[in-house]
Amino acid sequence: MCCEWKYVVVVASFVVQFITAGMQYSAGVYHYIFMDMYNKSEFETSLVGGLLLGVSVLSAILGNFIAQRMGCRVTVVSGGLIAAIGFGLSFLCEELFEVYICIGFIGGLGLGLAFTPSLMIIEQHFPTNRSMPLGIATCGLGLGISLWPLGVNYVTEQLHWKGTSLLVGGIALNICVMGSLMREPDNYKVKPMPMFKPSVLKIPVFIVMCASYLFWSIGASLIYIHMPEYCRSRGVDSDDVDVACANLICYIGMAVFVSRGIFRLLNTVDIVTTMICTVLIGIVLTGIWQDMFEKYTGIIGYCLMFGFHSGYWVNFNLQIAKENIGVENVAQGYGYFTLLAGIGTLIGAPFGGWLVDETHGNYDYIFYTAGACILVSSILLVGTKLVHYIPRKKQGYDHDHADKIIKKEPQIPVERDNLLLESMVTTI
């Protein structure tokens, strides 16, 4: 195989990340589109976005399992085809429950199958020094969140949802095209890896991280799904309200993109940065959001802070895992993390819709709940950082080179552990 082909694989992975993330995180735009189309309650309509995000996360477990046995190329192509069918079939939907099936279940399943294997393929072409190609590939996620919501809103204004569904389904077919470019070296063999290894449940920090993932996914899904509709319901001073509301998700994506890049380059998170970026921003998101929401510019500021916090949270999780658990243990508990993240996402969005319905259109409780969940998630992780920081500092532990905290003889190559951990935290 030509050695230059590995760079084609990186580009293909980038495009898959761009499409899958864009389709998933446009769920908030889908939400207000379906509110107008079907005139259902917030709870009923928010199930579409909750199912899309939740099923996407949960099916990443299945995608990992299939990729280890049938290959990344087959899994990515299959996922793209299933996602295209799901979104394409939504063209025929006349009732909201049909949208649950087409977009929520079928579309979510396809996107989840394609997501993780599109990162795993990089392992084959870059056995070592894969940080840069992996970073380039995951940039597609931030760009997808930044650009897709506005595009979906614009196309829907021009073609109505039925036209948008066909176009989005057609774009999803490009996942198949990119997947077909993901050649797998003939001499490379993937060793099946346990994703639900019981022994990791005996590690206290692992349990804390699982709880953190659950709370984080609940809070994040509330914001992604309900922020645009909240903006529409209160009204904004703009010539095109829908564009202004869709832009809010784009601002989150931009902040995620920048934040992840900054902290990836720093490659470490000291104790001061930990306190500022987790607890302080969490408190801000929880306690003063009403003051920020008085004007549209304040809402933009809220979204930027949430996005910056999200990008930081990804890198902080990577460091906590390397310092306190060992990435090989986290990789072997991949299924637990992903399961809880999926459950949290399934719970969050519909619960927010129920709160709005029960309070007759009051969104206050949604954002208080979202902020509280994000704060609890952050405090749990900061707690693990503080508990291990002082004693390890006394022992001469080098926090700036946390990658070295790996067992001498890990059961799985450390490079694969890092890749799976990266794909795990990126999925949320």
Side-chain angles (χ1 to χ4, degrees), residues 196-272:
F196 291 93
K197 193 171 183 179
S199 61
V200 299
L201 297 177
K202 299 178 182 179
I203 305 174
V205 177
F206 182 87
I207 301 299
V208 173
M209 288 188 68
C210 285
S212 176
Y213 268 78
L214 177 64
F215 282 106
W216 171 263
S217 59
I218 293 174
S221 64
L222 285 168
I223 295 173
Y224 276 115
I225 300 298
H226 293 286
M227 178 61 79
E229 177 59 21
Y230 164 72
C231 185
R232 291 176 84 228
S233 67
R234 71 183 298 276
V236 295
D237 186 13
S238 173
D239 294 335
D240 193 326
V241 175
D242 287 351
V243 170
C245 297
N247 271 334
L248 295 175
I249 305 300
C250 299
Y251 292 135
I252 294 175
M254 293 175 189
V256 170
F257 179 80
V258 172
S259 178
R260 291 195 63 175
I262 291 173
F263 289 105
R264 179 180 286 275
L265 289 174
L266 292 176
N267 199 33
T268 185
V269 181
D270 59 33
I271 198 66
V272 176

